[in-house]
Amino acid sequence: MRHIEPDLPESEVDATTIEERLRSENLDLKRQIQKLKGSSSSAAHVGPPAKLWNPSGVTIWSIVLLATVALVLAFFIGYIPLRKRNALNVSEALQQEAALPRVDVVEVGRSARNSEMELPGNIQAITEAPILARADGYLLRRMVDIGDRVRSGQPVAEIEAPELDEQVQQAKANVQQARAALDEALANYEQGKSNTVFARITAERWSRLATRGAVSRQENDQYQAQSGALAANLQALEKAIAAQRSTISAAEASLARLDKLQGYRIVKAPFDGVITLRNVDVGALVNAGNTLLFRIAQTDTLRTYVNVPQANTGSIRPGQTAHLSVSNLPGRQFTGTVARTANALDPNSRTLLVEVHVPNADGALLPGMYAQVDLNSTRANPPLLIPSEALIVRADGTASHWSARITPCISKRSRLAAITVTASR
C-alpha cells in the first residue's frame, strides 16, 4: 500500500528546503574545522625545534652602558648650549626692558552721554526795586524794617511836609481867586452885552432920522461908531471869560498835582515782597526823587544767572530743567527751569549768560546766595576721558599727551610706538 503525503502549501515547502540546506552547510563547516585542527597539530611536531636568543649578563650591561653614554653625550652637545642661548636672550631682554621708560597704562573711554554740567551761579530776586521819596519833608513814621514782608499798596513810611501843605492852601486860594475873576468877567460881559444892544438900537434910530434929514450926518456917524465900539468890546469880554476859565483849569490842575504830591507823604509798597534795605530813620530829611528810603525784593521766585562756556552752549535751551544746591543747605536740592539765554557770548569770557528761574515758596533761598547749578544735557559726541596727570600744559595753552602702545611682532618681542595727542585749551 502506497503512502501518499498530503499536499503542503508552497511557502511551507520552501521553508523546509532552506532549513535542510543550512543544516548541511553547518555540518560541512564543522568537518573542515576539525581537519584544520588536525593538520596544525601534526605540522607542529614535524621538523627541528626552534632556537631562541638568550644574551648573557655582560651583554646586557654593555648595552645599558652604551645607552647611558649616548644620553650623556646628547645632553652635553644640545642642552647646555641651548641653556646658554636662552640665558643670553633673557639677559638681553632684561637690559632692553630696563632701558625702556616705564609708563602707566590706563584704558581711555568716552564719558556718559548724559552730561551733568555743574557751574557756579548767583541768585537774585525775580523783581527788585528801590523805594524813593516823592515829597520833600521829614520822615514822620517808619512802619516797616528790614526782613518784613509787605503787600502791594501797604504803607511803609509817612513823611511830614509842611511846605507842601502851604502850597496846597495857596493853590486852593488861587482856584477861588480864578473863579471870582470869572464871575467878574461874566458880569462885565452881561453889562457889555446890554450896552451893545442899547447902542445898536440908538444907532438904528439916528440912521432913520439922518435919512429923513432930521439930524446931521455927523451926529449919526457918532452913534454908529459908538455902537461898533461896544460890539467889539463885547467880543473882548467873551475872550476874557475864556481866559478866566483857562486860568481856573490851570489853578485846579495845580491844586490836583499838589494834592497828589500830598498823597505821596504816605509811602506805599509797589508790589508784594520783603524789605531788604532800610536807609533812613525817623526825623531824617528827605528830598523828592533823591532820598532812598527802602529796597524791596520779590522772593517767591528767584532767578539765578549762570555763565556757560562756549563748548557747552549747544546743549542749553529754554525750558530745560536745572538743579541748584547751596553750601549752607547740604543734602537739599532745588529744581528750576532755564527761562532765557542772552543768545550772545560775552567777548571777554566767551560764555553764554543763562537765566534760571527757581520757585522759592518756603523762602529757603535768599537773594545774593552763591549756588552750584547742574544743567543736565545730552551730548551727541561725548568727549574722551584721560587722567589729568597725562597732560602737559604749555605756556601757549596747548596740552600734549604721550603714551606707549605695545604691538606683538613675529619675534615675540614688544615694539613701542609714541603717539601725540594735542588738544585745544
Side-chain angles (χ1 to χ4, degrees):
M1 182 173 167
R2 188 181 217 178
H3 177 71
I4 301 174
E5 295 181 358
D7 295 334
L8 297 174
E10 184 178 357
S11 59
E12 293 182 1
V13 175
D14 294 336
T16 304
T17 306
I18 293 171
E19 184 178 355
E20 292 177 354
R21 187 185 304 163
L22 291 175
R23 287 177 179 175
S24 62
E25 289 179 358
N26 287 335
L27 293 174
D28 294 337
L29 289 174
K30 288 180 180 180
R31 295 190 192 98
Q32 292 178 5
I33 290 171
Q34 290 178 357
K35 289 180 180 180
L36 291 174
K37 287 182 178 181
S39 62
S40 61
S41 60
S42 61
H45 297 286
V46 177
K51 292 182 180 181
L52 298 177
W53 182 60
N54 188 11
S56 63
V58 177
T59 305
I60 292 174
W61 281 108
S62 300
I63 294 173
V64 171
L65 180 61
L66 291 175
T68 303
V69 172
L71 290 175
V72 172
L73 291 176
F75 175 78
F76 283 103
I77 293 173
Y79 176 73
I80 293 178
L82 179 61
R83 184 177 179 182
K84 290 182 179 180
R85 286 196 299 270
N86 291 337
L88 181 60
N89 291 335
V90 171
S91 177
E92 292 178 356
L94 292 176
Q95 292 178 0
Q96 292 179 359
E97 183 178 359
L100 293 176
R102 306 288 296 182
V103 294
D104 295 330
V105 179
V106 177
E107 185 178 357
V108 177
R110 291 188 178 274
S111 61
R113 294 182 62 86
N114 294 329
S115 172
E116 295 184 359
M117 181 173 49
E118 185 173 345
L119 297 171
N122 296 320
I123 300 177
Q124 298 182 10
I126 190 69
T127 304
E128 187 175 8
I131 300 178
L132 303 175
R134 291 292 306 274
D136 295 332
Y138 296 93
L139 189 65
L140 180 63
R141 284 191 304 163
R142 177 172 51 79
M143 305 173 188
V144 295
D145 208 336
I146 56 173
D148 294 341
R149 292 190 174 274
V150 297
R151 307 292 296 178
S152 177
Q154 176 181 341
V156 295
E158 182 180 358
I159 299 174
E160 183 182 9
E163 294 180 356
L164 182 60
D165 295 338
E166 293 176 358
Q167 291 177 4
V168 171
Q169 295 297 329
Q170 183 180 358
K172 290 180 178 179
N174 291 336
V175 171
Q176 293 177 358
Q177 183 179 1
R179 288 176 179 174
L182 177 62
D183 294 338
E184 182 180 1
L186 289 174
N188 292 332
Y189 176 77
E190 292 297 331
Q191 183 180 2
K193 185 177 181 180
S194 299
N195 293 334
T196 301
V197 172
F198 178 75
R200 187 177 69 251
I201 293 174
T202 302
E204 289 176 353
R205 289 175 181 175
W206 281 92
S207 178
R208 288 194 298 269
L209 291 175
T211 302
R212 287 187 293 215
V215 295
S216 64
R217 295 180 60 183
Q218 183 178 359
E219 291 178 342
N220 181 36
D221 292 341
Q222 184 177 356
Y223 282 106
Q224 296 295 331
Q226 186 178 0
S227 175
L230 290 176
N233 188 27
L234 182 62
Q235 293 181 355
L237 291 175
E238 291 179 353
K239 299 295 183 182
I241 292 173
Q244 289 300 325
R245 287 176 177 171
S246 299
T247 303
I248 292 175
S249 298
E252 290 178 346
S254 178
L255 178 60
R257 181 181 64 83
L258 292 174
D259 286 338
K260 194 171 184 179
L261 286 177
Q262 198 172 25
Y264 287 140
R265 293 188 302 116
I266 304 298
V267 183
K268 300 179 181 180
F271 49 81
D272 298 346
V274 61
I275 301 298
T276 60
L277 175 66
R278 172 180 56 80
N279 194 43
V280 292
D281 289 320
V282 175
L285 177 64
V286 295
N287 295 321
N290 294 326
T291 305
L292 175 64
L293 302 180
F294 303 96
R295 184 175 292 275
I296 184 173
Q298 192 173 15
T299 59
D300 292 340
T301 301
L302 299 177
R303 56 184 175 181
T304 303
Y305 289 105
V306 183
N307 293 316
V308 179
Q310 180 179 353
N312 303 102
T313 55
S315 60
I316 303 300
R317 63 188 182 280
Q320 178 179 346
T321 302
H323 300 283
L324 278 76
S325 59
V326 292
S327 58
N328 59 317
L329 296 174
R332 186 170 180 182
Q333 197 173 55
F334 302 87
T335 302
T337 305
V338 176
R340 61 186 60 87
T341 65
N343 288 327
L345 297 182
D346 185 358
N348 296 323
S349 61
R350 305 299 180 188
T351 56
L352 176 69
L353 183 63
V354 178
E355 181 178 341
V356 179
H357 286 183
V358 183
N360 187 37
D362 58 351
L365 296 177
L366 301 177
M369 278 187 173
Y370 177 84
Q372 291 292 332
V373 183
D374 290 336
L375 295 172
N376 299 327
S377 61
T378 302
R379 295 175 291 191
N381 187 18
L384 294 175
L385 296 179
I386 60 174
S388 59
E389 295 82 2
L391 295 177
I392 302 175
V393 181
R394 297 189 177 93
D396 57 357
T398 60
S400 62
H401 170 65
W402 290 85
S403 64
R405 180 173 58 191
I406 301 177
T407 305
C409 302
I410 300 176
S411 61
K412 297 183 180 181
R413 295 184 181 179
S414 297
R415 182 176 60 189
L416 298 179
I419 302 173
T420 303
V421 178
T422 303
S424 60
R425 195 174 181 178

